[in-house]
Amino acid sequence: MDQNETRKHSILYAADPLCPWCYGFGPVVQKIREEYKDKIRFDLVLGGLRFGDSAEVLTSESARVLKHEWKDAEFITKQPFQLAPLEQKEFRYDSFASCKAVVSAQKIKPEITFDFLNAISKAFFHESRDPNSIETFIAVAETFGIDPNEFRSVYENGDTDLETKNDFYFGFSLGVSAFPTLVFSDGLENGILTRGYYSYEQVDSILKDYFRSVRI
């Protein structure tokens, strides 16, 4: 396979910063990207776990269900969680703002996209910071050397809203129905590689099989 043919192949990572399993999957993706950086391109597709009609103000019952899910995610992924966000009154679980923050950072500094996603997830799940506040996003952006005024300008631009929604719909068109999901693309066809949380060893084995099949 020549170099031009190789460049057509990519792995699309469909994730949402407010998905507990994506937060837990972050270190796995980081290790996989490092391991295979010379073989294939990795791109991020923002998920839209909860937005629009699916966003909700948590009730005591929905918070109870989520606490169990977060504890399961912590046990399986070994990533630390804090349950404080689920104990807030009138907390709105809406991931649109956080997804838009990642898109904003990607527009300003594309090379930090995956790390910024992980930082936003950590700010919510481990540091209990408000995932609907631009001040949270600006504080995270500053740690990556992004000027606060530049970030605010990009975040508040209507084009960024549209680009974020386009990411959601693109993910839906790929058949993404759960997060995290890895999707292969050869430039002509797409297909699901993994859906849900997998360990590094499991993903590594799946990718080795994939690379053998496409002979990259």
Side-chain angles (χ1 to χ4, degrees):
M1 182 175 291
D2 65 29
Q3 189 174 9
N4 288 332
E5 186 69 15
T6 300
R7 277 200 292 265
K8 293 179 182 177
H9 288 73
S10 64
I11 300 294
L12 307 175
Y13 175 40
D16 189 292
L18 299 197
C19 165
W21 296 102
C22 295
Y23 167 56
F25 197 51
V28 175
V29 174
Q30 184 178 30
K31 192 173 180 180
I32 286 292
R33 288 179 61 237
E34 181 63 28
E35 178 71 20
Y36 292 98
K37 64 183 178 183
D38 296 327
K39 278 198 167 189
I40 200 163
R41 188 180 77 250
F42 287 83
D43 295 316
L44 178 66
V45 179
L46 275 302
L49 174 68
R50 294 171 180 264
F51 76 104
D53 292 341
S54 66
E56 63 173 334
V57 175
L58 293 187
T59 64
S60 57
E61 175 59 23
S62 58
R64 184 187 65 80
V65 172
L66 286 172
K67 283 180 182 179
H68 283 291
E69 182 182 9
W70 289 20
K71 287 179 180 178
D72 287 344
E74 182 176 51
F75 177 77
I76 292 171
T77 71
K78 310 307 180 187
Q79 285 291 92
F81 283 73
Q82 295 291 334
L83 300 179
L86 300 179
E87 296 167 355
Q88 297 175 17
K89 293 183 178 179
E90 302 299 318
F91 173 68
R92 183 171 178 80
Y93 206 146
D94 185 342
S95 62
F96 182 79
S98 293
C99 288
K100 188 168 72 163
V102 178
V103 171
S104 301
Q106 184 176 40
K107 291 173 72 172
I108 298 168
K109 269 188 162 181
E111 67 274 16
I112 69 165
T113 301
F114 285 83
D115 292 334
F116 191 87
L117 166 69
N118 292 337
I120 290 293
S121 291
K122 182 180 179 181
F124 175 51
F125 289 109
H126 183 51
E127 300 168 0
S128 303
R129 295 161 77 179
D130 186 352
N132 296 306
S133 169
I134 190 173
E135 301 307 323
T136 296
F137 311 141
I138 287 174
V140 173
E142 285 188 285
T143 67
F144 289 94
I146 296 176
D147 178 77
N149 292 327
E150 182 180 13
F151 184 89
R152 185 183 294 274
S153 176
V154 173
Y155 181 86
E156 293 178 346
N157 189 297
D159 287 345
T160 306
D161 272 52
L162 181 60
E163 290 172 42
T164 303
K165 292 174 183 176
N166 285 343
D167 248 34
F168 296 170
Y169 299 133
F170 179 54
F172 299 154
S173 75
L174 295 173
V176 174
S177 59
F179 305 103
T181 294
L182 294 177
V183 183
F184 81 84
S185 174
D186 63 6
L188 295 174
E189 296 182 347
N190 305 306
I192 303 295
L193 278 176
T194 67
R195 181 181 283 116
Y197 178 83
Y198 284 71
S199 68
Y200 168 79
E201 291 75 18
Q202 290 171 318
V203 177
D204 183 50
S205 176
I206 291 168
L207 289 181
K208 280 183 168 61
D209 288 342
Y210 169 70
F211 292 139
R212 280 194 292 268
S213 70
V214 298
R215 289 182 290 181
I216 292 179

